[in-house]
Amino acid sequence: MSSHTAQTELKLIGKLIVEGDIACQTGLHIGAGKGSLEIGGADNPVVKDAFGLPYIPGSSLRGKLRSLLEQSSGLAVPSELVYISKRKGQEVRIHQSERPDDEVCLLFGRSPGRMDRVSGDSAESSAATPARLTVYDAPLIAESITAQMRENMDDELTEVKSENAIDRITSQANPRTLERVPAGARFHFRIVLDVLCPEDRELLPRLVEGLRLLEDDSLGGGGSRGNGRVALSRVKLTWRGRGFYASGAAEQELLTGADLGAVQSLVTASDFAEKLAE
């Protein structure tokens, strides 16, 4: 846990910008809602922008990072979870606490109000903290889809994976198709960490921990069936102190073209906090 307390005062010190590439090691499926099926189309299409290009929604990446950090911190247990939806068959449980040093809540924010706890009595929370983390939509890097890849795909930018669910009694096959962004495709991600007090500098190692966990987990749907393995590369860290916004002071490039191992070594160094000056 962090050194934040209930008396910690918030005042912008600066913003740390983390950018880089997300490369698909296997096909990636982040689904989109669809009101009707097209003849010959995939049963489960991927989400696309207004130009028809696949992208990774910031909400998908942010939610996955939060889930991984909750699990690694031992917070994905009934006593630490609250319902944000109790609709039968569509329950959604996430971690939220009122502890001022709870790094997950500090990174992702928390809202006041009534909390229906998964285990224990409901409670009225008065704690509200701003999210330090902003995760933007990651657009496709169009040139990562090569001409050779296009020749072997079902669509100009995506592939269709066929799967079967087999009945264990009759052995009847129930086929389904899944649209995926192919292995080899790359997306550009951008994450901004607001540093609102000196204690917030302790949150960056947790963010990097989440990104490293993501590389050995999966993004999107069907991860247990081989989808969604990704790798992060060409990572760039830029610090913009309060002076950058107030008086046009220069930004500070801390790292560029690095892998996550190099990023982690930098942010866990004993002198890293000194680099993040106003």
Side-chain angles (χ1 to χ4, degrees):
M1 294 296 176
S2 74
S3 56
H4 290 75
T5 69
Q7 287 71 46
T8 299
E9 296 184 0
L10 304 184
K11 179 183 178 181
L12 179 68
I13 295 175
K15 293 175 179 280
L16 190 69
I17 300 166
V18 185
E19 297 179 275
D21 290 356
I22 297 176
C24 297
Q25 306 296 295
T26 62
L28 173 69
H29 174 81
I30 298 178
K34 195 170 184 181
S36 61
L37 294 176
E38 299 174 2
I39 296 176
D43 299 333
N44 300 289
V46 298
V47 63
K48 299 182 178 74
D49 63 19
F51 299 97
L53 299 175
Y55 70 100
I56 298 175
S59 57
S60 296
L61 181 55
R62 189 179 191 272
K64 186 64 180 184
L65 291 174
R66 178 171 187 156
S67 174
L68 291 169
L69 287 174
E70 288 174 359
Q71 292 172 6
S72 70
S73 303
L75 300 174
V77 294
S79 61
E80 291 284 350
L81 299 177
V82 300
Y83 286 102
I84 59 173
S85 171
K86 293 187 73 173
R87 185 178 302 174
K88 189 171 178 62
Q90 298 180 343
E91 294 89 352
V92 179
R93 292 159 285 229
I94 68 168
H95 164 72
Q96 184 169 316
S97 80
E98 293 189 278
R99 297 188 295 270
D101 60 351
D102 188 321
E103 292 179 335
V104 170
C105 289
L106 289 168
L107 276 170
F108 298 96
R110 60 187 139 201
S111 301
R114 182 179 176 81
M115 294 190 301
D116 290 327
R117 298 190 177 279
V118 173
S119 175
D121 297 331
S122 298
E124 193 73 26
S125 172
S126 60
T129 55
R132 275 36 169 209
L133 203 61
T134 302
V135 183
Y136 294 92
D137 291 347
L140 177 71
I141 299 173
E143 58 267 25
S144 67
I145 307 292
T146 65
Q148 183 181 8
M149 292 165 65
R150 293 173 194 264
E151 290 178 2
N152 299 298
M153 290 195 297
D154 303 272
D155 188 71
E156 186 178 357
L157 296 172
T158 59
E159 64 186 10
V160 174
K161 179 187 180 187
S162 297
E163 298 180 337
N164 273 318
I166 306 297
D167 186 278
R168 298 323 191 247
I169 304 298
T170 66
S171 297
Q172 178 179 338
N174 295 286
R176 58 177 180 259
T177 55
L178 193 74
E179 186 179 24
R180 306 194 308 180
V181 180
R186 290 184 288 116
F187 298 84
H188 183 76
F189 75 89
R190 178 183 173 91
I191 297 173
V192 177
L193 178 68
D194 290 349
V195 178
L196 303 180
C197 57
E199 293 88 345
D200 280 353
R201 296 183 176 99
E202 304 166 6
L203 299 176
L204 184 58
R206 296 308 309 276
L207 170 60
V208 177
E209 177 187 347
L211 293 173
R212 298 210 74 172
L213 285 167
L214 177 62
E215 289 193 318
D216 281 334
D217 204 274
S218 62
L219 185 62
S224 63
R225 304 195 303 275
N227 301 330
R229 183 185 170 204
V230 298
L232 279 65
S233 62
R234 304 179 187 179
V235 181
K236 178 181 178 183
L237 260 63
T238 305
W239 171 250
R240 292 176 176 173
R242 185 168 175 270
F244 175 89
Y245 303 98
S247 59
E251 65 182 22
Q252 185 180 358
E253 189 174 287
L254 302 176
L255 201 64
T256 186
D259 61 16
L260 287 179
V263 176
Q264 194 166 47
S265 295
L266 174 68
V267 303
T268 55
S270 57
D271 62 344
F272 178 70
E274 300 171 7
K275 302 178 187 294
L276 308 185
E278 292 189 53

